[in-house]
Amino acid sequence: MKKVAIIGGGLSGLTAAFYLARQNKNIDWQVYEASARFGGHIKTVHKQGYIIEKGPDSFLARKPAGMQLIHDLKLDSELVKNATGQSYIYQNKIFHPIPEGSIMGIPTKLKPFLKSKLFSPLGKVRVLYELIKPADRSKEDQSLGDFFEKRFGKEMVTHLIEPLFSGIYAGNLYQMSLRATYPAMETLLNENGSILKGLRKQRVQTTGTKQTIGAFRTLKGGMTQLVDELVKQLPAERCHLNKAIENIEKKKIDIIYYSKMEK
Ligand SMILES: Cc1cc2nc3c(=O)[nH]c(=O)nc-3n(C[C@H](O)[C@H](O)[C@H](O)COP(=O)(O)OP(=O)(O)OC[C@H]3O[C@@H](n4cnc5c(N)ncnc54)[C@H](O)[C@@H]3O)c2cc1C
């Protein structure tokens, strides 16, 4: 019998355990979670009738693995399409609406962008200069921060792009690789000579199609419901909390499932 140690009881680790348990009874698997709770970054708080997500708030419906997991856990009836409301950027003690038509902060509609008080007049001119700025097709990878700053100027990056991207990747824009995180942006630039032109073209192509509506899903009880259901369907005696793995002796374990080791 093979022994599998699943290190980390976040969504990846619990999902790996769930499918291992379903697929092969000849595997002796165990989940080891360092902290006192399962779920990793997923953390839902219920407060005064509100569901507040401290980490991920939804997942993309078009990516099959997430929807398959929901189906396999029999949670289909618990799915919720998130309705997108107005998002704001909090700056200098004021909530500024993100200009309508922005894609990852980059404007595709002129009027809402020009009306926005998030940017100075000079900052806006610098953003629009991107339309005619020659595309500096780089052979080397670069940071997301450098890439966007070169195209749109510093103000656009600090006021809008950085808050949005940092919310997704939870990291420093100037330390994240463009090609590892958002290669599509570079392709867009290379193919259209300008990101603004490329995004506007995409928007025209997708507007009015159902693809743009309800792209994300969550569960009625928030994302933690997914974790709770996984834990409920897994045998408790195989899922261990407060067990930080510090080293691995290869002799004793055949397969290691590696889930975001922080050390
Ligand atoms: C603020 C924020 C918002 C996000 N929003 C979204 C979103 O809306 N949609 C989306 O799809 N994704 C989102 N993400 C990304 C998503 O949260 C992660 O991709 C996902 O939760 C990663 O799951 P994981 O199990 O791989 O890792 P983690 O959730 O990091 O879990 C890893 C687990 O391993 C444990 N561990 C680490 N080292 C050890 C050890 N040595 N021994 C034992 N256990 C160990 C940790 O304690 C942790 O519980 C967001 C991330 C953040 C931070």
Side-chain angles (χ1 to χ4, degrees):
M1 182 179 277
K2 285 207 162 182
K3 283 186 165 188
V4 178
I6 298 174
I7 303 168
L11 183 60
S12 310
L14 294 175
T15 303
F18 176 71
Y19 285 114
L20 269 186
R22 274 166 58 113
Q23 281 166 19
N24 195 331
K25 298 211 167 16
N26 282 327
I27 293 180
D28 170 19
W29 60 266
Q30 308 283 329
V31 179
Y32 298 102
E33 167 53 44
S35 74
R37 53 172 283 281
F38 291 112
H41 279 100
I42 295 180
K43 204 170 188 181
T44 310
V45 175
H46 295 264
K47 203 169 178 185
Q48 296 170 357
Y50 289 96
I51 295 174
I52 302 162
E53 297 290 3
K54 295 180 96 173
D57 53 58
S58 51
F59 54 92
L60 272 171
R62 70 167 178 271
K63 297 208 173 172
M67 293 301 276
Q68 186 64 49
L69 177 64
I70 296 289
H71 183 69
D72 292 338
L73 287 166
K74 302 194 172 29
L75 283 175
D76 307 67
S77 62
E78 295 295 294
L79 274 176
V80 183
K81 282 185 192 173
N82 61 351
T84 315
Q86 175 66 58
S87 304
Y88 296 85
I89 298 283
Y90 188 62
Q91 189 193 77
N92 296 331
K93 301 192 177 169
I94 297 171
F95 282 102
H96 297 273
I98 292 182
E100 191 199 323
S102 304
I103 297 176
M104 297 308 292
I106 300 159
T108 61
K109 286 187 183 176
L110 200 59
K111 234 181 178 178
F113 168 68
L114 291 176
K115 276 168 93 181
S116 172
K117 295 201 168 78
L118 249 180
F119 314 100
S120 68
L122 211 62
K124 288 177 188 172
V125 172
R126 178 62 185 82
V127 170
L128 294 178
Y129 169 61
E130 202 273 335
L131 284 163
I132 52 163
K133 187 179 191 301
D136 33 4
R137 291 179 176 86
S138 170
K139 282 202 178 109
E140 301 293 314
D141 193 7
Q142 54 192 312
S143 76
L144 278 171
D146 288 333
F147 175 74
F148 285 125
E149 201 177 313
K150 272 188 260 168
R151 294 308 302 170
F152 298 108
K154 182 93 180 156
E155 193 177 306
M156 177 64 165
V157 172
T158 49
H159 291 199
L160 191 49
I161 296 178
E162 190 170 29
L164 288 176
F165 272 78
S166 302
I168 293 168
Y169 295 109
N172 183 331
L173 215 60
Y174 291 89
Q175 289 174 358
M176 285 186 277
S177 139
L178 169 69
R179 289 183 186 166
T181 51
Y182 215 138
M185 274 296 163
E186 197 178 18
T187 311
L188 208 66
L189 173 63
N190 291 341
E191 284 176 358
N192 299 277
S194 148
I195 297 174
L196 286 175
K197 280 185 197 157
L199 282 179
R200 276 179 69 85
K201 212 158 86 184
Q202 270 188 1
R203 190 177 65 82
V204 172
Q205 279 163 359
T206 54
T207 300
T209 69
K210 286 194 174 159
Q211 278 180 340
T212 54
I213 304 161
F216 291 92
R217 300 285 184 279
T218 183
L219 294 164
K220 287 176 189 165
M223 290 297 288
T224 294
Q225 190 179 350
L226 180 55
V227 173
D228 292 345
E229 192 58 36
L230 277 164
V231 172
K232 203 171 105 190
Q233 294 197 26
L234 291 171
E237 67 279 9
R238 287 175 181 256
C239 302
H240 314 277
L241 289 172
N242 301 307
K243 288 265 186 278
I245 302 300
E246 290 185 352
N247 59 61
I248 293 162
E249 290 175 39
K250 280 194 178 163
K251 271 183 279 173
K252 290 188 186 161
I253 300 169
D254 296 319
I255 305 167
I256 305 299
Y257 180 80
Y258 179 88
S259 169
K260 293 258 172 84
M261 290 276 283
E262 273 148 19
K263 288 182 188 173

